[in-house]
Amino acid sequence: MSDTPETRGYKRIATEEAWLTPELLQRYVQILDSGATNDPGFHSLWGFFGKSQTPRARDLYERIQDMDARRLADMDAAGIDMQLLLLSAPGVQVFEAGLATSLAASSNDQLAETIRRHPTRFQGLAAFAPQDPQSAAKEIERGVTRLGLKGAVVNSHTQGEYLDDEKYYDIFAACEALDVPLYIHPNSMSPQMVEPFLPRCLDAAIYGFAAETGLHALRLIVGGVFDRFPNLKVVLGHLGEGLPFWPYRIDFMHAGIVRSNRSPGAQALQKKPSEYLRDNFYYTTSGMPWEPSISLVQRLFGHDKVMYAMDYPYQYLKEEVDMMDNLPITTEQKKMFFQGNAERIFRL
Ligand code: MN
């Protein structure tokens, strides 16, 4: 790339970029080999990326754990100035609580070390283990206040459980008190959902991730999480996992469900569901570099709510930034999209 942030007028910050430690990768393969889990979504995802000898799988396996020369060269080749790093799915969420808690801490320490080596190229979010919510809240606080991480990341469900259960509220309380966002990134689909997706290979990034993660976000909304934590900020990738196409019908049907008192799990909220999508959520374009969808989300929720992301190394496309540089928006809006929103929301 011959242009620079100075000549183009903005930095390109990619806000949902994946990494994993070599130890976690080895442990995923061990779990697969030992038969320690029969989670079909995990087998589908890491059976491929962890064990397949195809070039696509080996390439991903190498790139996702490289935190130096190769990753920086890829960023330079694609015109990315900075990556915000998120521990990739399933993170530590497939392990038992004690092991998961210690792996989250060691991963965050390694991430902080990577950022210290390249502070202008990398920033990152703190991983945590929802399996032990109180320790998770402490790890988020340690990650932000001691390690300088910029928020927290969870890879959607944890062994089939969703964060709208009150037992997880310490996690939201920590993010709200620290005033940092929680990024809800996809995981492989939960065991309860995945089966009908598997025969046609629809369980992963092609569609299943969005169905499962969108469900997770909606559960938080109708479960009243944002009435309890009104200043909680949640970031969704993939332009909101499909939800920005749905606001009218979700609002319409939710009002009817509440009126008819259909379920104790779907009670009246202080606002319409779509108002939480507007007020508490932020959106990144990971894997969705397509103008009609990006414009929809910008129009619905504002140019200050949508950030650029590439989803490296899963969807590493060198030509992507050219497509995004050509979005039909003003220079000022483009600077918000690539740089300003990320700097404000993650306080980079
Ligand atoms: Mn991703």
Side-chain angles (χ1 to χ4, degrees):
M1 284 275 161
S2 55
D3 70 337
T4 66
E6 289 71 32
T7 57
R8 83 175 83 93
Y10 48 86
K11 275 197 265 188
R12 295 196 194 95
I13 302 172
T15 53
E16 188 206 285
E17 314 310 301
W19 78 291
L20 280 167
T21 67
E23 180 183 8
L24 283 171
L25 283 162
Q26 286 157 21
R27 284 182 180 274
Y28 296 162
V29 174
Q30 280 168 13
I31 290 176
L32 292 165
D33 288 345
S34 69
T37 178
N38 55 10
D39 176 341
F42 178 72
H43 276 265
S44 172
L45 187 67
W46 283 101
F48 178 68
F49 286 122
K51 301 196 62 166
S52 166
Q53 294 306 310
T54 60
R56 159 82 172 144
R58 295 336 301 157
D59 181 79
L60 185 288
Y61 193 88
E62 296 304 322
R63 278 195 157 98
I64 202 165
Q65 59 181 310
D66 185 301
M67 305 310 287
D68 282 287
R70 182 167 188 176
R71 184 175 291 254
L72 291 166
D74 285 347
M75 290 164 66
D76 291 341
I80 301 298
D81 298 296
M82 176 184 279
Q83 285 190 342
L84 184 74
L85 294 163
L86 283 64
L87 195 69
S88 194
V92 302
Q93 294 163 242
V94 282
F95 306 108
E96 57 85 16
L99 177 61
T101 299
S102 72
L103 287 170
S106 65
S107 301
N108 290 335
D109 289 340
Q110 290 175 64
L111 179 55
E113 175 53 33
T114 292
I115 294 165
R116 272 195 291 275
R117 283 200 306 276
H118 306 287
T120 63
R121 306 304 303 276
F122 298 131
Q123 292 293 328
L125 303 183
F128 61 90
Q131 298 94 315
D132 180 345
Q134 285 72 44
S135 297
K138 289 194 188 102
E139 182 59 21
I140 292 167
E141 184 180 9
R142 187 187 77 97
V144 171
T145 62
R146 308 265 304 268
L147 301 179
L149 301 175
K150 303 301 181 185
V153 54
V154 66
N155 291 295
S156 197
H157 75 93
T158 301
Q159 299 173 34
E161 292 198 9
Y162 290 84
L163 296 178
D164 53 314
D165 189 311
E166 283 194 32
K167 73 181 182 184
Y168 295 114
Y169 275 14
D170 283 0
I171 293 165
F172 301 130
C175 291
E176 194 184 52
L178 293 159
D179 192 24
V180 293
L182 173 65
Y183 204 123
I184 304 183
H185 183 274
N187 198 349
S188 51
M189 294 187 82
S190 63
Q192 305 96 308
M193 282 183 80
V194 72
E195 290 296 343
F197 290 78
L198 287 170
R200 298 290 186 191
C201 229
L202 293 169
D203 55 297
I206 183 172
Y207 183 67
F209 290 175
E212 199 272 341
T213 310
L215 168 74
H216 199 158
L218 265 186
R219 284 184 62 137
L220 300 186
I221 291 172
V222 305
V225 165
F226 299 100
D227 288 343
R228 179 81 169 264
F229 301 100
N231 297 314
L232 179 63
K233 297 180 211 154
V234 171
V235 184
L236 293 176
H238 319 100
L239 284 173
E241 312 293 1
L243 295 178
F245 210 76
W246 280 83
Y248 181 87
R249 198 163 209 227
I250 291 171
D251 286 349
F252 186 94
M253 290 295 168
H254 185 259
I257 289 165
V258 169
R259 266 198 311 276
S260 56
N261 202 21
R262 287 262 292 277
S263 164
Q267 293 298 305
L269 302 170
Q270 290 172 15
K271 302 195 274 192
K272 292 180 193 171
S274 66
E275 293 174 325
Y276 302 97
L277 287 172
R278 181 194 65 200
D279 297 342
N280 294 92
F281 284 78
Y282 298 84
Y283 302 89
T284 79
T285 61
S286 50
M288 307 277 273
W290 196 53
E291 183 275 326
S293 299
I294 295 170
S295 294
L296 171 70
V297 184
Q298 289 171 329
R299 188 176 148 199
L300 277 174
F301 302 130
H303 281 272
D304 58 336
K305 293 295 182 74
V306 184
M307 295 175 273
Y308 173 68
M310 176 177 270
D311 214 357
Y312 178 91
Y314 292 99
Q315 201 163 330
Y316 175 45
L317 282 181
K318 292 192 186 73
E319 61 273 25
E320 182 174 298
V321 297
D322 296 330
M323 295 153 63
M324 297 295 90
D325 278 344
N326 290 321
L327 284 174
I329 54 180
T330 68
T331 306
E332 188 189 350
Q333 289 166 340
K334 208 170 292 174
K335 184 169 182 175
M336 292 166 73
F337 171 75
F338 272 116
Q339 175 182 351
N341 292 339
E343 289 178 338
R344 185 184 80 254
I345 294 159
F346 295 106
R347 286 188 282 153
L348 302 178

